[in-house]
Amino acid sequence: MAAPLSDGERRKQISVRGIAGLGDVAEVRKSFNRHLHFTLVKDRNVATPRDYYFALAHTVRDHLVGRWIRTQQHYYERDPKRIYYLSLEFYMGRTLQNTMVNLGLQNTCDEAIYQLGLDLEELEEIEEDAGLGNGGLGRLAACFLDSMATLGLAAYGYGIRYEFGIFNQKIVDGWQVEEADDWLRYGNPWEKARPEYMLPVHFYGRVDHTPAGVKWVDTQVVLAMPYDTPVPGYKNNTVNTMRLWSAKAPNDFNLQEFNVGDYIEAVLDRNLAENISRVLYPNDNFFEGKELRLKQEYFVVAATLQDIIRRFKSSKFGCRDPVRTCFETFPDKVAIQLNDTHPALSIPELMRILVDVEKVDWDKAWEITKRTCAYTNHTVLPEALERWPVYMFEKLLPRHLEIIYALNQMHLDRVAALYPGDVDRLRRMSVIEEGDCKRINMAHLCVIGSHAVNGVARIHSDIVKNSVFKDFYELEPEKFQNKTNGITPRRWLLLCNPGLADVIAEKIGEDFVTDLSQLRKLLDFVNNETFIRDVAKVKQENKLKFAAYLEEQYKVKINPSSMFDVQVKRIHEYKRQLLNCLHAITLYNRIRSDPSKSFVPRTIMIGGKAAPGYHMAKMIIKLITSIGEVINNDPYVGDKLKVIFLENYRVSLAEKVIPAADLSQQISTAGTEASGTGNMKFMVNGALTIGTMDGANVEMAEEAGEENLFIFGMRVEDVEALDRQGYNAQEYYERLPELKQAVDQISSGFFSPRDPNCFKDIVNMLMHHDRFKVFADYEAYIKCQGQVDQLFMNPREWTKKVIKNIACSGKFSSDRTITEYAREIWGVEPSATKIPPPNLPRD
């Protein structure tokens, strides 16, 4: 008789292998049915469309989990160097369609859902965007996660699970009104809470210097609860993890000595601790020094670093020590990338853990910290730089303040030794800014605490080296690098523009999806009549579809044969939506002065959110809607010109508007837009760009040829020259009659008859303190727009330029960007290895 099985042997029956779905239509239908009944507890008589969406989401998620578990197991066994991408924002958008695309399940699900009498696209529209970001920086983090998984890197995204993401924007009487984004209201099928990995985070308290070392005591504790979201690579069975922390009060919160009698009050006060992860700060390119924001920044850093160190210690080859205290190999096993200065506290926090907790020697700890951390700079605007008051640190993070002082002293001693007597250089380079209110310059902290510092487009990295961090560059030039941003071609081509992806695949095969440089092969088809016709046809279909969406959602009728002229991005003075407005008014005046003349019809669409406290940005929205009100209701204009404000611009709306655009507006003042990534999305989706030589536009023009973009206006050198000379708006106003007419109309109340003074702040800014020199580029811009009109009247030549742009957009894949980070900053190689799927044996 066979020996009875041990518990361990019996447990081998607990395995995903026998139950992993194969992903055929019948299995998807069955799984959908099972989830509708057993997960959602509904039958078809009472199920709502939302129930059907959740049933499908759970069905698709089932196909992730086997691969997810396997990927993590694979990393545990191989113990590769792990990449930790720390960001306060991950602007993920919707997950369902992206997961189907990356798992190769889209056609199967489409068919299964169709067979059940449902419409896949309708279900996809029910999903809420995960709006945990403001704009470019947060969306970049999301594209990077997709690329890191597709390139087989052992990478983790770490951030905050905000209960409320970026606000929903409503337009009421032409003004922006904010509404809370309760995106978790119906639950989130893509996340898995991990209470077993909950960690404590300390605030406040005081520092004790004892003979046994430094202790941070009498602190208040908040718990960090991790929620994991799977991040699938493209058809390689790799599924990485994005771990977002949620704040929880400990059970003894406020029930200590000082609150003896008031149990109810104490329990209600738990909200104070849990507010840390309540809401995303809605500022883009602007620093607001609020204590809650500093708490958020430390919260994500403290929880993440504990997690990183736990994983380092428990990894198979992490340490041979019985007590696991050798941190020598830490930088060989861990890379921490700081997405802007928001997670800068990683530097003093890692020092605190190494020195105070793990008892590593100070100099050794500093070497480990610098070799581990790297910093990405995202902006050169002074108002965006984080400068925290010292008094806030004193109260909230007293030990970190001591560490920062010590690091700064070390740094300044080194500078003083190299530049004796240069006190001004010491002042410029200090991490601590002296003044009425002493401040900590977080960018300086990042530069001294990192082994690599990068900008996000070549022109931006040059500005970083030659102006923002000039002194630091002179000290350590080898630290400074460029990593031009990119976008994931999975979401931004395959998912949002399947028609174009198909037309491309017909000509060059499907490999471009993971190697976007292959789009260059399309240059062979620039003069191919069939291809020209196919590309134009896809664009027209996308325009018709978007026009129908606009009519359905916003009740606005637009002319689908007009030029779709699109500027979508956060509303900010430096992005110069006002220049776009002046062009719209100028076109309007030209039509009015000669209605019988033939005009190239345009639909000008502007979309984007304004930070709730940014008065000028909100005025700009009101101006756009007011201009639209006048132009769209003027019978002389007809459908020659429309001005539409796209309400509540977000990732899921970008996926609809970008494939439909003919013209992409990237018109920031040269030297202000670090990179831009919307510009890249438009390029790969077959829009032509009108833009300044700023950010990644410079490299786009280099790749495609400047003659294939509409480049206008001042270059960085011209802007600097104008600054030295002194910018005088009045001079342009008096010299250019069309500009004067437009400005006078805004100022006289032509666009705001019920409140003639409505736009006085805008006019006053433009005339007297416009940092971004709108008028200086007006003439060149209007002239360039005339060239756009000329080309648009020749559809064949227009489409040839479109094909050249698509063919030359390969550089702007985030796969290329991440490959450069991996090799030049993190010291790891992307891997093409495909992990076996869950239904096959592991080796």
Side-chain angles (χ1 to χ4, degrees), residues 415-423:
V415 175
L418 286 164
Y419 302 92
D422 192 344
V423 287

Side-chain angles (χ1 to χ4, degrees), residues 380-381 459 463 572-577 579 666-674 691-695 697 712-716 718-720 722-723 770-777:
V380 299
L381 296 183
I459 184 178
I463 292 169
H572 203 297
E573 288 160 86
Y574 87 84
K575 293 176 187 284
R576 298 203 295 191
Q577 282 91 354
L579 188 54
Q666 309 297 336
I667 58 179
S668 52
T669 311
T672 62
E673 188 73 89
T692 50
M693 277 297 198
D694 197 20
N697 298 358
F712 72 92
M714 297 180 290
R715 311 299 202 248
V716 170
D718 305 318
V719 175
E720 287 168 350
L722 188 51
D723 274 325
D770 176 8
R771 296 163 57 204
F772 304 105
K773 307 177 175 63
V774 171
F775 293 180
D777 273 339

Side-chain angles (χ1 to χ4, degrees), residues 351 355 360-370 410:
M351 283 297 284
V355 174
V360 177
D361 163 77
W362 177 274
D363 292 328
K364 184 76 212 161
W366 184 231
E367 186 210 327
I368 290 167
T369 298
K370 281 202 288 191
M410 224 166 44

Side-chain angles (χ1 to χ4, degrees), residues 239-362:
V239 181
N240 284 343
T241 301
M242 174 177 66
R243 175 162 284 181
L244 301 180
W245 302 102
S246 183
K248 243 169 120 43
N251 287 329
D252 62 357
F253 185 78
N254 264 6
L255 287 168
Q256 296 98 341
E257 60 288 354
F258 58 88
N259 220 328
V260 183
D262 210 339
Y263 163 75
I264 297 287
E265 255 328 277
V267 173
L268 296 185
D269 279 350
R270 293 169 61 87
N271 277 324
L272 300 173
E274 294 171 0
N275 275 338
I276 291 175
S277 56
R278 194 81 66 205
V279 60
L280 167 75
Y281 273 85
N283 303 316
D284 188 74
N285 275 298
F286 183 77
F287 171 60
E288 183 177 10
K290 292 279 194 282
E291 185 180 45
L292 181 60
R293 171 67 172 199
L294 184 57
K295 279 185 178 166
Q296 289 181 340
E297 292 184 355
Y298 181 63
F299 176 74
V300 65
V301 158
T304 300
L305 275 163
Q306 289 179 74
D307 219 29
I308 290 174
I309 286 164
R310 172 191 59 76
R311 203 176 282 117
F312 168 75
K313 286 182 171 181
S314 69
S315 76
K316 262 189 174 170
F317 316 107
C319 262
R320 301 258 174 250
D321 267 11
V323 274
R324 309 262 198 220
T325 49
C326 71
F327 280 84
E328 293 282 337
T329 61
F330 192 74
D332 305 323
K333 288 293 174 192
V334 172
I336 295 173
Q337 190 67 36
L338 307 174
N339 194 25
D340 214 313
T341 56
H342 312 147
L345 288 164
S346 301
I347 292 164
E349 174 67 3
L350 182 52
M351 283 297 284
R352 186 189 68 81
I353 296 169
L354 292 175
V355 174
D356 296 357
V357 183
E358 302 292 346
K359 308 296 181 196
V360 177
D361 163 77
W362 177 274

Side-chain angles (χ1 to χ4, degrees), residues 114 175 240 247-248 409 416 544 587 633 645 673 722 799 826 836:
Y114 171 76
W175 298 92
N240 284 343
K248 243 169 120 43
Q409 192 55 56
L544 284 163
L587 283 186
N633 293 302
F645 186 83
E673 188 73 89
L722 188 51
T799 306
W826 304 329

Side-chain angles (χ1 to χ4, degrees), residues 100-146:
M100 294 189 300
V101 165
N102 280 14
L103 294 185
L105 280 174
Q106 204 169 15
N107 293 345
T108 309
C109 290
D110 204 350
E111 178 59 25
I113 293 303
Y114 171 76
Q115 288 182 11
L116 292 169
L118 297 165
D119 176 25
L120 181 60
E121 218 174 305
E122 227 171 273
L123 299 187
E124 288 167 348
E125 282 298 312
I126 291 166
E127 183 176 359
E128 299 270 359
D129 279 48
L132 308 185
N134 277 287
L137 172 146
R139 183 55 235 176
L140 185 79
C143 284
F144 278 5
L145 293 183
D146 181 271

Side-chain angles (χ1 to χ4, degrees), residues 22 28 35 42 71 81 122 246 286 346 483 618 686 779:
L22 289 167
V28 168
H35 277 297
K42 292 281 186 91
T71 300
K81 183 170 183 178
E122 227 171 273
S246 183
F286 183 77
S346 301
K483 295 286 169 278
K618 290 186 139 178
E779 192 175 16

Side-chain angles (χ1 to χ4, degrees), residues 173-189:
D173 293 331
W175 298 92
Q176 165 177 298
V177 174
E178 300 85 20
E179 224 173 51
D181 165 43
D182 192 5
W183 71 290
L184 293 168
R185 179 174 47 229
Y186 298 104
N188 173 5

